[in-house]
Amino acid sequence: MTRKIMVLPNGACDGCDKCVDACGQALGYGSKDSESYRAAIKIVNSEEGYFPVVCRNCHQAPCVTACMSGCIQPDEDGHVITDYDRCVGCWMCVMSCPFGAIETDPQKHVTVKCNSCLDKSVAPCVAVCEKSVLIQINIDEYTTRLRKNSAIRFINGDREVAQKCDT
Amino acid sequence: MRYVIVGASYAAVGAVEEIRSIDSDGEILIVSDEPYRIYARPLISYYLENRVAEKNMYFRPEEFYEKNRLKFVSGKKVVKVEPDGQKITLDDKSVIDYDRLLICTGGKPFIPPLKGIYSKNVFSFVKWDDAKKIKKLADGAKEVLIVGGGLIGLKAAEGLGGLGLKVTIIEKEASVLPLVLDETAGKILREHLKDNGVDMVTGNVASEILADESGCVTGVALDNGDSHKCGLLIIAIGVRPNIDLIEGTAIEVNRGIVVDRRMRTNVDNIYSAGDVVEAWDILSGSNSVIAIAPLAFEQGKVAGCNMAGGKSAYTGGIAMNSTDVFNMSLMTMGLTKNLDESYEIKSYKDGEVYKKLVFKDDMLKGVILVGDVDYGGALTQLIRNQADIKDIKDDLANKVLGKAGLASILPTILSKTPVPTFH
């Protein structure tokens, strides 16, 4: 099963924000300088480094459980999809998402959450990610990479090596 | 195996989805006293305001019923539950046997015993039919009074205000959402309502509903002697667990139906979930009624799993709510009001943006977010897991309430709480 957008926790994100631009553009939000600008992916600059915040397509997702209108549902491949025609902007999902991956758009009365760009062969955010932090990958391969990553980190205690493994 | 579910809302859907993931053969029958298939009840205020079309009111698509092979009995009320014979009786006197019964009948509005309360054009605001009736009248009525400034009253005010009616909320406390909002948040919201044409009359309670000779409501008299005019009146002073159907049974009821962590009542093969139950409350460390949709759905899932022979335990809930009123976003989680000095409170206010964090024993106990609610879910997780945040407490408060914002500490918060997996 292939997931469209996955985040590799390899510490390689340099905060270039190209994914954010690509996403906002794909969603039809205009200028990045405008207050009404939104994107379904955000890069958070934290003490631990740059951190991509995007829908993780949780199994038994808290947003699906919390959604008041029933507009968030998983598809057969496990992508958690919001039907924006039915979103009323109650922010229940925002209140429930542990990852903070759902934003509010109060002007349009809808949330902004990654819907995995299923209509495109490669999601725009993945296409522009030069550090391969965002990837399109089979779930089994993804977890294999995570395990390998963690093993190498454990052995070497070295972030550089872990990064090489992923990229 | 025949599963009978009484009530058709969030808990019922959660139960059905879980039962079907375990038992594909059993018969599932839902009894609803409303004439509609399962709809999203809190959307009635949006429907009233024409923000949600009729077709988008339904919580699950039409295929849901066929896919899950549901039998759906609508417009029938369950009048009797007989645990000994494992059967229920409907208001048309028909009898249905069950192997497992789920009672998820939700809440029913509290109607105060005031003179004139049964006058024409006086409504509750909890069902789709309420919204439909009100919508029909909304053209003719110019002034609307809403008694009660809780979430239902507030959303009714927004809906009717959006239709261009003159709305006034009568609330005995100083502002709306008095159970969860502190003075500062209440003031911000009250001002915001005023800016959007909704007035409030506070500090007094209704003592009589006034009506004309034809029995139509004309206003409300207050206990201080004042009276206010209206052509339409909405009573929204609270909802109580809807437990009429189990009267005379041995099912234990306190404020709501008492259930264990597996959503079982004290009577064999009878489960309960949703706004009708008194289930595990993480912050009080005891059972309580927390009537909100997300918890109803979660409880329904737990009940469904256990009814079908699986094993699942409810992790417990916290009082939480989120809404948007005239474009002002609002979230409250956990304990936010009437806190003694053992709680440590930190807050931030700038114009219409207000944030408050409540700590105790190195844990986050409550949050109010007004005007900026993004990333709120991360805080909800800290409360629901009662995560030990001793080492990050000050940092958390400084960032959430400061310029850096919640996002800047998100990875640290995530390291403190379990997160869902993916397939």
Side-chain angles (χ1 to χ4, degrees):
Chain A
M1 191 187 335
T2 298
R3 271 306 151 66
K4 295 288 285 200
I5 301 159
M6 295 297 273
V7 178
L8 276 181
N10 60 4
C13 177
D14 61 1
C16 75
D17 258 12
K18 282 181 184 153
C19 56
V20 181
D21 297 344
C23 178
Q25 211 164 39
L27 293 179
Y29 284 99
S31 159
K32 212 179 163 187
D33 304 323
S34 143
E35 212 176 278
S36 61
Y37 180 84
R38 293 288 185 282
I41 184 165
K42 285 162 286 181
I43 303 299
V44 164
N45 185 5
S46 76
E47 276 161 17
E48 285 88 350
Y50 290 102
F51 179 73
V53 177
V54 64
C55 175
R56 307 290 171 122
N57 294 297
C58 304
H59 178 51
Q60 307 269 8
C63 61
V64 172
T65 302
C67 178
M68 207 168 81
S69 70
C71 74
I72 315 177
Q73 285 289 301
D75 73 1
E76 282 170 358
D77 295 327
H79 296 106
V80 176
I81 303 295
T82 307
D83 175 357
Y84 287 109
D85 287 342
R86 296 175 56 213
C87 174
V88 295
C90 69
W91 323 135
M92 284 284 189
C93 56
V94 179
M95 184 174 69
S96 304
C97 177
F99 295 103
I102 310 176
E103 216 180 352
T104 59
D105 183 343
Q107 288 183 3
K108 293 187 183 166
H109 290 287
V110 291
T111 58
V112 183
K113 186 189 85 65
C114 171
N115 263 359
S116 294
C117 283
L118 295 177
D119 56 332
K120 301 181 178 72
S121 62
V122 179
C125 61
V126 172
V128 297
C129 183
E130 286 163 9
K131 301 286 178 183
S132 297
V133 173
L134 301 172
I135 52 169
Q136 190 164 309
I137 192 172
N138 177 287
I139 297 291
D140 289 337
E141 197 191 325
Y142 178 73
T143 53
T144 304
R145 280 211 208 179
L146 287 189
R147 286 198 297 272
K148 212 154 90 183
N149 186 344
S150 125
I152 290 175
R153 271 191 209 208
F154 179 75
I155 294 162
N156 297 307
D158 187 344
R159 195 167 170 159
E160 297 281 324
V161 180
Q163 278 180 26
K164 271 178 202 150
C165 164
D166 289 329
T167 56
Chain B
M1 177 71 76
R2 181 189 276 166
Y3 306 92
V4 175
I5 299 173
V6 187
S9 196
Y10 296 96
V13 174
V16 166
E17 289 177 351
E18 210 59 27
I19 290 171
R20 274 293 174 250
S21 73
I22 296 173
D23 180 354
S24 51
D25 299 326
E27 183 185 346
I28 305 178
L29 187 139
I30 296 180
V31 185
S32 168
D33 63 0
E34 290 180 73
Y36 311 105
R37 61 188 172 90
I38 301 170
Y39 66 93
R41 204 175 292 274
L43 298 195
I44 60 171
S45 69
Y46 300 86
Y47 170 83
L48 183 61
E49 210 185 332
N50 301 316
R51 273 164 65 183
V52 169
E54 180 136 355
K55 69 175 171 62
N56 287 340
M57 284 294 285
Y58 298 100
F59 186 55
R60 287 289 183 268
E62 231 169 329
E63 305 88 75
F64 178 77
Y65 300 83
E66 203 175 324
K67 198 182 110 202
N68 291 297
R69 280 170 292 109
L70 297 184
K71 287 186 181 161
F72 196 77
V73 177
S74 61
K76 297 269 159 56
K77 204 172 178 164
V78 176
V79 291
K80 200 168 161 192
V81 175
E82 289 172 82
D84 289 340
Q86 300 214 151
K87 59 186 180 184
I88 58 170
T89 307
L90 309 188
D91 54 1
D92 63 1
K93 299 211 168 69
S94 59
V95 175
I96 298 168
D97 296 324
Y98 66 83
D99 294 302
R100 302 280 183 278
L101 178 68
L102 175 63
I103 299 170
C104 46
T105 43
K108 61 172 184 181
F110 177 65
I111 305 296
L114 294 177
K115 190 180 167 200
I117 192 80
Y118 295 108
S119 304
K120 278 181 218 158
N121 305 341
V122 178
F123 299 98
S124 315
F125 192 58
V126 294
K127 291 185 169 188
W128 196 354
D129 275 347
D130 297 331
K132 286 186 172 179
K133 286 177 200 159
I134 292 166
K135 203 171 183 166
K136 267 188 197 154
L137 280 168
D139 288 342
K142 289 192 180 74
E143 289 161 306
V144 185
L145 287 176
I146 298 173
V147 176
L151 195 58
I152 292 175
L154 190 58
K155 291 307 282 184
E158 186 191 38
L160 289 163
L163 287 176
L165 278 75
K166 178 79 205 77
V167 181
T168 304
I169 299 175
I170 297 172
E171 167 58 52
K172 74 171 187 279
E173 305 295 335
S175 187
V176 284
L177 303 180
L179 294 178
V180 290
L181 292 188
D182 61 14
E183 202 184 325
T184 311
K187 265 188 192 156
I188 293 173
L189 196 55
R190 186 172 179 166
E191 280 299 310
H192 184 68
L193 287 173
K194 199 173 172 198
D195 294 343
N196 286 279
V198 174
D199 282 336
M200 288 196 73
V201 174
T202 54
N204 291 97
V205 295
S207 59
E208 187 185 336
I209 310 303
L210 309 170
D212 62 17
E213 287 138 16
S214 61
C216 292
V217 67
T218 57
V220 171
L222 302 181
D223 59 356
N224 66 349
D226 288 356
S227 66
H228 298 269
K229 279 197 296 188
C230 71
L232 178 61
L233 175 64
I234 293 175
I235 303 288
I237 55 172
V239 171
R240 306 279 156 91
N242 185 9
I243 48 175
D244 295 347
L245 75 165
I246 59 160
E247 204 175 307
T249 69
I251 296 171
E252 189 188 349
V253 178
N254 195 11
R255 278 201 58 221
I257 296 176
V258 179
V259 289
D260 65 9
R261 294 286 196 106
R262 297 181 65 186
M263 308 314 290
R264 297 178 293 203
T265 68
N266 62 322
V267 172
D268 284 348
N269 300 322
I270 301 183
Y271 296 71
S272 191
D275 294 3
V276 74
V277 300
E278 205 177 277
W280 186 249
D281 175 346
I282 293 164
L283 294 176
S284 74
S286 59
N287 276 18
S288 69
V289 178
I290 307 176
I292 54 170
L295 296 185
F297 193 87
E298 281 180 44
Q299 293 163 1
K301 274 167 72 167
V302 172
C305 176
N306 291 314
M307 287 163 77
K311 238 183 178 169
S312 171
Y314 178 51
T315 51
I318 59 169
M320 53 182 185
N321 237 318
S322 128
T323 193
D324 190 278
V325 187
F326 295 115
N327 291 352
M328 175 183 274
S329 53
L330 191 74
M331 236 176 237
T332 62
M333 294 89 95
L335 308 173
T336 55
K337 189 81 189 279
N338 298 330
L339 305 160
D340 64 34
E341 57 269 17
S342 68
Y343 292 89
E344 189 185 343
I345 295 166
K346 293 194 168 169
S347 64
Y348 161 89
K349 184 178 178 293
D350 180 21
E352 284 200 338
V353 174
Y354 177 61
K355 301 176 187 189
K356 166 164 141 171
L357 302 176
V358 178
F359 300 98
K360 187 178 179 176
D361 303 332
D362 298 323
M363 289 179 278
L364 185 63
K365 297 287 181 181
V367 173
I368 295 178
L369 299 174
V370 179
D372 177 11
V373 299
D374 284 345
Y375 304 98
L379 298 174
T380 305
Q381 289 302 310
L382 285 180
I383 305 175
R384 285 194 81 167
N385 290 290
Q386 283 298 278
D388 183 342
I389 52 165
K390 190 176 185 175
D391 53 332
I392 64 159
K393 199 172 86 181
D394 293 336
D395 203 20
L396 180 76
N398 288 336
K399 285 187 168 142
V400 173
L401 307 173
K403 259 213 170 85
L406 210 169
S408 62
I409 196 173
L410 200 56
T412 312
I413 297 177
L414 282 168
S415 71
K416 297 283 179 190
T417 56
V419 291
T421 56
F422 40 74
H423 298 278

